[in-house]
Amino acid sequence: MKHALKMCQWDEQDIMELIKLAKQMEEGSYENRRKQPYVVANLFYEPSTRTKSSFEMAQVKLGYKRIPFDVAHSSVQKGESLYDTVKTFEAIGVDALVIRHEQENYYKEWIDQVTIPIINGGDGCGQHPTQSLLDLYTIYESFGSFKGLKVGIAGDLRHSRVARSNVEILHRLGATIILASPEEWKDESLMQYGEYCSMDELCEVVDVLMLLRVQRERHVEQMHSNQANYLEVFGLTERRMSFLKRESIIMHPAPINRGVEIADQLVEHPKSRIFTQMKNGVFVRMALHEKIRLGGWK
């Protein structure tokens, strides 16, 4: 297997191999014996700060060469399809592509016709596997296991590729999933992995509180509550912080809507792992790149 598209493609052994490899990246103990330049390109059709910069930093640390790509100054503006752009990079000799695109499953129609590895940097409301991997790495750093953990995922579930990636793999790794969301953003398909409850109830029992960004750019429906109400009803307030267990941690994929999903003063609270997640993203993406470069999975 050469591509990295969905979390369901990996079993527990694959995940633990990546976590251990990411740890080697963080400790600086990984030895890269590559001699020939390995060339990658990052095709981001949606705005991104953390994911794109994190991939770029991972590639720099690994010594990869990068071919610049800017949608606004490419043949995309002349109507070129994503498939033709991918085949162009394949033809000129790029070794791997990282792609973020607003279309869910953007790769589905042509993935079997591409010979170079594709790493999914996020597909619409579909999947975000590298965010999920860095979330797993961050949880594993704090607890050393996934089995028996109670993970609460709260917020804009319907539009979240982070939630969609995380619930299945965390459930499969032995965690209990608990969900909280405004009625208009509930996703019934996630109920096969966990039950919904109120935000107060969720905060009282979880080991990991994973807050989701309110994704206004993907909303077609009117939000029933205003921003101030959202924080009070579904966000992490000072009051709810007092409900959390002593060892609980707070996570958020960012960018953060301060004062909406989380009270501003709690973003850098000792329980918060939000910036740790960003740091860990580099090591996880280094591990994923190297695993794929060395042949991927069976």
Side-chain angles (χ1 to χ4, degrees):
M1 187 188 305
K2 63 186 179 183
H3 303 299
L5 302 174
K6 296 182 176 183
M7 291 304 293
C8 62
Q9 73 182 82
W10 296 307
D11 60 23
E12 185 170 355
Q13 181 179 343
D14 296 330
I15 295 291
M16 293 312 301
E17 282 181 5
L18 282 171
I19 285 177
K20 289 174 183 175
L21 189 54
K23 191 64 179 174
Q24 291 178 36
M25 301 296 182
E26 184 175 12
E27 293 172 343
S29 59
Y30 178 77
E31 184 179 357
N32 185 352
R33 297 180 177 176
R34 177 179 43 80
K35 294 181 180 179
Q36 297 298 321
Y38 189 76
V39 184
V40 298
N42 302 310
L43 279 53
F44 276 66
Y45 288 73
E46 282 188 331
S48 170
T49 299
R50 270 150 292 273
T51 302
K52 187 169 186 290
S53 300
S54 182
F55 266 113
E56 290 176 344
M57 180 58 80
Q59 293 154 3
V60 167
K61 283 178 174 283
L62 289 167
Y64 292 2
K65 302 295 184 184
R66 289 178 293 118
I67 300 293
F69 176 79
D70 177 5
V71 169
H73 298 90
S74 72
S75 291
V76 175
Q77 302 306 315
K78 301 174 184 175
E80 184 173 73
S81 68
L82 173 59
Y83 175 69
D84 282 339
T85 301
V86 168
K87 293 300 287 184
T88 297
F89 278 96
E90 178 186 83
I92 66 175
V94 167
D95 293 300
L97 292 173
V98 179
I99 301 177
R100 169 173 287 192
H101 200 278
E102 66 272 14
Q103 181 183 343
E104 192 169 328
N105 294 322
Y106 60 78
Y107 47 82
K108 188 175 180 181
E109 301 299 324
W110 47 256
I111 194 67
D112 292 338
Q113 301 171 60
V114 175
T115 60
I116 58 175
I118 303 294
I119 298 176
N120 185 3
D123 59 293
C125 296
Q127 288 266 314
H128 195 346
T130 59
Q131 176 69 44
S132 184
L133 288 171
L134 74 87
D135 289 343
L136 295 179
Y137 185 77
T138 304
I139 293 170
Y140 192 81
E141 267 193 331
S142 294
F143 298 98
S145 175
F146 303 101
K147 291 182 172 61
L149 288 180
K150 292 183 178 178
V151 180
I153 305 179
D156 190 353
L157 290 161
R158 179 182 296 178
H159 304 96
S160 176
R161 53 197 174 204
V162 174
R164 205 152 285 109
S165 300
N166 277 335
V167 290
E168 187 273 337
I169 186 62
L170 281 166
H171 176 78
R172 188 151 46 96
L173 292 173
T176 298
I177 306 297
I178 310 169
L179 306 167
S181 174
E183 194 63 33
E184 62 266 38
W185 296 337
K186 283 186 176 178
D187 185 335
E188 298 302 318
S189 70
L190 301 182
M191 291 187 70
Q192 62 183 306
Y193 305 110
E195 295 184 351
Y196 283 90
C197 70
S198 74
M199 190 62 181
D200 281 2
E201 292 172 317
L202 181 143
C203 288
E204 289 172 355
V205 300
V206 293
D207 301 294
V208 178
L209 174 58
M210 192 175 293
L211 303 166
L212 301 174
R213 183 174 67 87
V214 175
Q215 301 192 46
R216 297 188 185 90
E217 73 277 15
R218 301 191 195 282
H219 294 167
V220 293
E221 69 274 22
Q222 185 67 37
M223 189 176 177
H224 290 169
S225 52
N226 61 35
Q227 286 193 10
N229 283 343
Y230 185 87
L231 178 63
E232 290 303 317
V233 181
F234 290 101
L236 182 62
T237 60
E238 289 271 18
R239 182 180 69 84
R240 289 200 180 97
M241 175 64 89
S242 69
F243 298 167
L244 294 176
K245 294 186 285 188
R246 188 180 62 179
E247 65 275 16
S248 297
I249 64 171
I250 302 161
M251 300 174 68
H252 189 302
I256 307 157
N257 293 311
R258 288 177 180 253
V260 179
E261 299 106 10
I262 180 171
D264 188 19
Q265 65 272 24
L266 300 180
V267 172
E268 295 173 66
H269 188 277
K271 287 182 177 295
S272 171
R273 298 293 183 273
I274 296 172
F275 290 99
T276 303
Q277 289 174 265
M278 298 176 201
K279 182 196 77 170
N280 288 343
V282 174
F283 305 121
V284 164
R285 289 174 174 119
M286 290 173 71
L288 182 63
H289 261 308
E290 281 295 87
K291 183 69 178 174
I292 289 174
R293 185 182 69 81
L294 295 172
W297 301 265
K298 292 181 180 177

